Amino acid sequence: MKNYNSIIIGSGLGGLIAGATLALWGKKVIVLEQHYIAGGCATAFKRKDYLMEVGLHEIDGLNETDPKRPILELLGVFEEVEFLKVPEFYHLKKQNFQCTLHHGAEAKAKLIADFPDSKVEIERFFELINRLYTEMRRLPRSKWLNILLYPLMPFLIPTIIKTSTMNVGKWLDANIKNEALKNVLTANLGYYTDDPYNLSLMYFLMAQGSYLNGGGNFVKGGSQSLSNYLVRFIEKRGGQVLTGKFVEEILVENNQAVGVSYRDTFNTSAAKQSLYADTVVANAAQPIVAQMLPEPYRSKLAQKVAPLELACSLLTIYLGFNTDLKKLGVNHYSTIIQGQKDYKLKDVKADSQGDWAQKSFTFVNYGRIDAQLAPEGKTVAVICAVDYLKEWEGLSEAEYQQKKERVAQLFLTRLEAEFPTILEYLECYEVATAKTIKRYTLNPQGTPYGYVQSVKQTYPKRDKLTASPLKNLYFASAWAPSGGGYSGAIYSGFMTASKMKTQVKWHNYPPSTLADERCVKLLAKEFIAHNTILLTFEKPKDLQYKAGQYAVLRLNNPRYTELDMPLRPLSMVSHPDEDTLQFAMRLSDSSFKKSVVEMAIGDTATIFAPMGNFTLKGKNKRIVFLASGIGITPVLPMLKTLEQQQFAGEVVVFYSNKTEASAAFHNDLQHSTLANYTYLPVFTATQKRLNTDFLKEHLHTLTDCDYYIVGTNSFTKAMQELLLKENVPATTIFKDDFGG
């Protein structure tokens, strides 16, 4: 039985815009997202005091002539979401040369001032952009009118036709002599792809022209604010957005998409569910969608898109600085740093695929605007460079982490060479690779851009290349005709909804809400140590997990939201056999923690679980836990499991805290029923920190144990290095992957 007008697979901007538009038009919509956060690349995550922006550096245009503006106005976006104009397009910096490319009316004039001998060429470039935009506005919106006018197109839209058949590199080489000027005009090519000689001139001019004429903008509070607004918009109009739901199948009857089957992304023991609708919108890559279809549609779509070339990916290093970077001479919002001295347009592709120590990168200082990503006096920034999944394939987890750190240090060293002493203020950093993007978005090759906007794959050809193989299945994403980026996703979502409005035979369905059984009530909360709280929730139906695993706890109605996300990964303190679910955490001044303190009994949260592989391996007869602070939480259920198994081997718990008052579960840890159990608390306010001598004193032999390490990153790293130095086999050292 059908219950919805449209099921949307994925909550990236394309899916959310399509869903919001359909909801505005009175359609009953449900969005199913496999990740526990809605937004796709338009999301954020919290590290220490910093709200890390995942994807957005700047979104183009939003001026009065920008075609995105009426879409966002229609959805009321500007009423609740603030867009901040960034100071300039970007600043290019390389050895013995630097230049700032500006936005708006002053862009052309300042560029001519920097390159007076190239005035005619610069004016030609801007004139081509203006002609292209004029012709784009002339294009008829009706498909049938397009067909009727097709013979006249060479006369009506000559610039569109010319630029759609030429690549960027070829045009620039033919029309601009100054190599430095070509370099300046294309320095941000990584916004789109990795090769000017494989990028459609039409696509480049449309995108670049929108930045140059309309300026660049950042969403205040991060792009998650835009995603959150669209979720609320859908829900206020009777729709629903469910995260942590993985669609496995698109259901087909009589050559039409009629619904989907899905499961819980994390709790694989939960039963598969099916939903039915008039239409299905896939906010996902076509190769992924193909795997959801039955035959013959699966093969038909897979074979159709198989020849299409995928775009590059990105490596991003998220940075938190405990100072205002302007004090260190970082005077630009976006600085593009090129490593090769004689960098030319023909070198772009080789540079993108070259040595990390020389590869060009963009450094974005969000502190140049009121981004609301960090407390006053601190700054969020990112380093971003072109990346490829092949760089990270075939590596073990240890090798992958080591390579990430090596690459990060190369870029950080280069950053400090440009801005001396900057690393003295670096408080935290995190590296995301093409593999990271693939993990969280599922995109093939980890590309956020979809298919390359090459001459062969750009409008109008792209429309046919990416068309749906069956009725009532639509695409709205970076993989659809309008392409990647925030603008492409917004256009895609709206154009898809507009097409559906006239093509679909809609039905009326009564209002209803799909019950989310992961939504549970708070049953109790208590302080169990200094500044440490224990929360007891109802246990979600059908939740099964192993001792040591963790969950993501999302507060459904947080009282505070400033500079934070309403969720945290937390180890499950309760044992899998217990009827309730418990979490313990240290308190702080973060909005999430303050909201937790003020939760009332009966308030609800949503549980995404189970996650992680920090579980008992059962390899050795001697088990050693090395824990610090609140990291003790997964150890409690692991000890209970060993008690249930009547484990007869030796079990030793080393637990480090500053004081006894701050040691959570200190009393519980003293009363285990294990046959050969030793509990060794270490209070660093009065004792030495855990070291080799202390371990040897109590374990005697270190090489015949299984070690489970859990605590802060610095504690975990120190303990692992200590053990490896003592020739403990790496295969017997298990680190907590909490939050990983």
Side-chain angles (χ1 to χ4, degrees):
M1 185 179 71
K2 291 182 180 179
N3 295 303
Y4 300 92
N5 293 122
S6 192
I7 299 167
I8 298 175
I9 306 170
S11 70
L13 278 185
L16 290 178
I17 290 286
T21 306
L22 291 172
L24 177 69
W25 292 337
K27 308 308 176 190
K28 188 179 177 185
V29 171
I30 187 167
V31 181
L32 302 175
E33 165 60 48
Q34 57 90 23
H35 192 18
Y36 54 77
I37 302 172
C41 289
T43 54
F45 63 92
K46 185 72 181 289
R47 290 295 180 269
K48 293 192 174 182
D49 287 340
Y50 306 95
L51 194 61
M52 300 297 192
E53 165 60 49
V54 166
L56 182 62
H57 296 170
E58 53 182 313
I59 185 170
D60 60 288
L62 300 185
N63 53 323
E64 294 305 318
T65 59
D66 184 356
K68 288 191 301 298
R69 190 170 186 90
I71 297 172
L72 299 179
E73 286 176 342
L74 179 70
L75 299 177
V77 171
F78 296 111
E79 296 171 18
E80 293 191 31
V81 180
E82 185 177 353
F83 291 84
L84 305 169
K85 187 72 71 176
V86 304
E88 68 278 321
F89 194 176
Y90 51 78
H91 180 74
L92 173 62
K93 193 173 185 182
K94 58 189 292 187
Q95 190 173 358
N96 301 323
F97 177 80
Q98 52 185 318
C99 179
T100 301
L101 191 59
H102 294 267
H103 290 137
E106 63 181 357
K108 182 170 71 172
K110 293 207 171 185
L111 201 55
I112 290 173
D114 289 331
F115 296 91
D117 295 340
S118 302
K119 179 183 178 186
V120 173
E121 296 171 343
I122 292 168
E123 288 178 336
R124 183 185 301 135
F125 177 78
F126 279 86
E127 175 59 26
L128 186 62
I129 289 173
N130 292 335
R131 290 205 311 269
L132 185 61
Y133 268 83
T134 300
E135 290 181 12
M136 280 290 180
R137 286 191 287 269
R138 277 190 211 147
L139 278 175
R141 296 291 176 247
S142 166
K143 174 184 176 182
W144 294 108
L145 192 55
N146 262 317
I147 293 171
L148 291 172
L149 293 175
Y150 185 77
L152 301 175
M153 288 301 180
F155 305 100
L156 295 175
I157 52 170
T159 308
I160 291 177
I161 290 175
K162 179 181 178 181
T163 57
S164 68
T165 58
M166 185 176 292
N167 67 59
V168 174
K170 183 178 179 181
W171 188 90
L172 288 174
D173 286 342
N175 290 276
I176 295 179
K177 297 177 182 178
N178 190 309
E179 199 67 43
L181 176 58
K182 286 191 279 187
N183 195 186
V184 170
L185 293 174
T186 60
N188 69 319
L189 200 78
Y191 281 21
Y192 318 121
T193 187
D194 60 354
D195 184 0
Y197 296 92
N198 192 38
L199 177 62
S200 160
L201 177 62
M202 182 185 70
Y203 177 83
F204 174 74
L205 292 174
M206 288 297 296
Q208 208 78 337
S210 187
Y211 281 116
L212 290 168
N213 292 328
N217 307 269
F218 182 75
V219 180
K220 191 172 185 176
S223 59
Q224 185 73 62
S225 299
L226 175 58
S227 299
N228 290 346
Y229 169 79
L230 294 170
V231 169
R232 294 195 304 272
F233 188 95
I234 292 169
E235 292 175 342
K236 285 179 181 178
R237 286 154 183 80
Q240 195 169 5
V241 178
L242 288 178
T243 54
K245 298 297 185 184
F246 183 89
V247 174
E248 291 186 330
E249 300 174 76
I250 295 173
L251 306 176
V252 178
E253 293 177 6
N254 301 320
N255 297 318
Q256 297 185 49
V258 297
V260 302
S261 289
Y262 67 95
R263 60 173 174 81
D264 190 283
T265 305
F266 309 104
N267 185 14
T268 55
S269 61
K272 184 185 288 189
Q273 306 282 334
S274 293
L275 295 176
Y276 296 86
D278 297 332
T279 62
V280 175
V281 177
N283 175 228
Q286 281 90 343
I288 300 297
V289 177
Q291 297 305 309
M292 301 175 184
L293 291 169
E295 293 290 4
Y297 311 103
R298 173 181 296 198
S299 296
K300 184 178 179 180
L301 180 57
Q303 291 169 9
K304 184 178 182 181
V305 301
L308 299 182
E309 182 184 0
L310 274 61
C312 60
S313 186
L314 297 170
L315 176 134
T316 304
I317 307 175
Y318 303 99
L319 306 162
F321 292 96
N322 57 11
T323 190
D324 182 344
L325 294 183
K326 286 181 286 187
K327 297 177 180 178
L328 305 180
V330 186
N331 297 318
H332 296 282
Y333 175 80
S334 179
T335 303
I336 297 170
I337 297 170
Q338 293 177 343
Q340 298 181 38
K341 181 179 179 181
D342 298 320
Y343 189 93
K344 294 181 174 62
L345 195 64
K346 64 180 177 59
D347 300 320
V348 172
K349 179 72 171 181
D351 175 78
S352 297
Q353 297 182 341
D355 186 352
W356 291 106
Q358 292 293 321
K359 185 180 291 192
S360 299
F361 68 93
T362 300
F363 179 58
V364 179
N365 170 19
Y366 291 113
R368 287 286 285 117
I369 56 175
D370 184 23
Q372 292 294 300
L373 299 178
E376 188 174 352
K378 295 192 175 188
T379 308
V380 166
V382 296
I383 288 171
C384 192
V386 170
D387 191 18
Y388 304 90
L389 186 63
K390 63 185 180 182
E391 285 275 353
W392 309 97
E393 291 179 311
L395 302 176
S396 68
E397 181 59 27
E399 290 169 335
Y400 175 61
Q401 296 299 334
Q402 289 166 4
K403 183 173 180 178
K404 283 207 303 182
E405 180 60 21
R406 186 168 66 252
V407 170
Q409 291 304 321
L410 286 172
F411 279 116
L412 291 173
T413 299
R414 292 173 61 193
L415 182 68
E416 186 157 52
E418 300 292 339
F419 305 106
T421 75
I422 193 171
L423 296 188
E424 294 177 18
Y425 302 91
L426 181 60
E427 193 171 8
C428 64
Y429 65 92
E430 188 157 328
V431 183
T433 68
K435 186 175 179 180
T436 312
I437 296 175
K438 183 179 181 182
R439 175 186 173 191
Y440 284 108
T441 68
L442 306 183
N443 281 347
Q445 298 302 312
T447 174
Y449 298 138
Y451 299 114
V452 171
Q453 291 281 5
S454 62
V455 171
K456 294 179 180 179
Q457 297 181 179
T458 299
Y459 175 87
K461 300 168 188 155
R462 194 180 180 100
D463 201 4
K464 294 180 180 179
L465 293 171
T466 59
S468 171
L470 73 162
K471 190 176 180 182
N472 290 345
L473 172 64
Y474 294 85
F475 298 131
S477 71
W479 301 77
S482 52
Y486 283 50
S487 293
I490 290 169
Y491 294 136
S492 175
F494 183 74
M495 289 189 294
T496 296
S498 299
K499 187 188 299 184
M500 295 168 68
K501 187 178 184 181
T502 57
Q503 290 183 353
V504 176
K505 182 180 179 181
W506 300 103
H507 297 86
N508 291 321
Y509 300 109
S512 63
T513 300
L514 192 65
D516 189 349
E517 294 176 335
R518 302 164 305 174
C519 179
V520 293
K521 293 180 180 178
L522 178 66
L523 301 177
K525 63 178 184 178
E526 61 178 310
F527 287 91
I528 55 170
H530 176 67
N531 208 35
T532 306
I533 196 169
L534 177 68
L535 304 175
T536 303
F537 286 93
E538 296 172 328
K539 188 175 183 180
K541 182 183 177 183
D542 298 326
L543 175 59
Q544 297 179 21
Y545 62 96
K546 295 179 180 178
Q549 290 187 296
Y550 69 94
V552 167
L553 173 72
R554 185 184 72 198
L555 307 181
N556 291 343
N557 296 289
R559 287 163 174 76
Y560 304 93
T561 58
E562 185 180 7
L563 290 175
D564 212 341
M565 299 285 287
L567 49 82
R568 286 291 189 278
L570 297 166
S571 295
M572 292 178 275
V573 183
S574 45
H575 189 269
D577 290 345
E578 295 178 28
D579 295 330
T580 58
L581 197 61
Q582 291 185 315
F583 304 97
M585 67 186 79
R586 298 283 200 221
L587 298 178
S588 70
D589 290 331
S590 72
S591 292
F592 178 85
K593 299 292 181 68
K594 289 193 295 185
S595 296
V596 164
V597 170
E598 293 195 19
M599 284 184 77
I601 303 304
D603 283 355
T604 62
T606 302
I607 309 294
F608 302 98
M611 301 182 199
N613 296 305
F614 188 63
T615 56
L616 292 166
K617 312 301 179 187
K619 289 188 175 182
N620 280 315
K621 292 182 179 179
R622 300 180 76 203
I623 294 176
V624 177
F625 294 99
L626 299 170
S628 71
I630 200 62
I632 195 66
T633 48
V635 176
L636 273 294
M638 295 168 92
L639 290 174
K640 289 182 182 178
T641 294
L642 291 171
E643 290 175 356
Q644 285 181 346
Q645 296 172 351
Q646 297 183 335
F647 183 75
E650 184 180 2
V651 177
V652 183
V653 177
F654 294 89
Y655 183 27
S656 176
N657 280 277
K658 188 173 182 179
T659 64
E660 182 175 340
S662 62
F665 306 105
H666 180 53
N667 291 332
D668 301 77
L669 291 165
Q670 295 179 73
H671 299 97
S672 173
T673 60
L674 285 165
N676 294 295
Y677 173 78
T678 305
Y679 172 53
L680 296 166
V682 177
F683 304 123
T684 57
T686 56
Q687 297 174 256
K688 289 184 179 180
R689 295 181 181 276
L690 274 176
N691 57 34
T692 305
D693 292 339
F694 191 75
L695 292 182
K696 286 183 175 180
E697 177 186 347
H698 294 281
L699 297 176
H700 308 299
T701 303
L702 302 185
T703 55
D704 62 348
C705 306
D706 278 349
Y707 292 90
Y708 296 86
I709 310 174
V710 55
T712 62
N713 288 337
S714 58
F715 175 84
T716 301
K717 184 178 180 180
M719 291 298 102
Q720 181 183 30
E721 290 176 351
L722 180 157
L723 294 173
L724 292 174
K725 190 174 181 180
E726 293 298 317
N727 298 316
V728 172
T731 54
T732 64
I733 301 172
F734 307 103
K735 297 184 296 180
D736 180 30
D737 59 352
F738 162 78

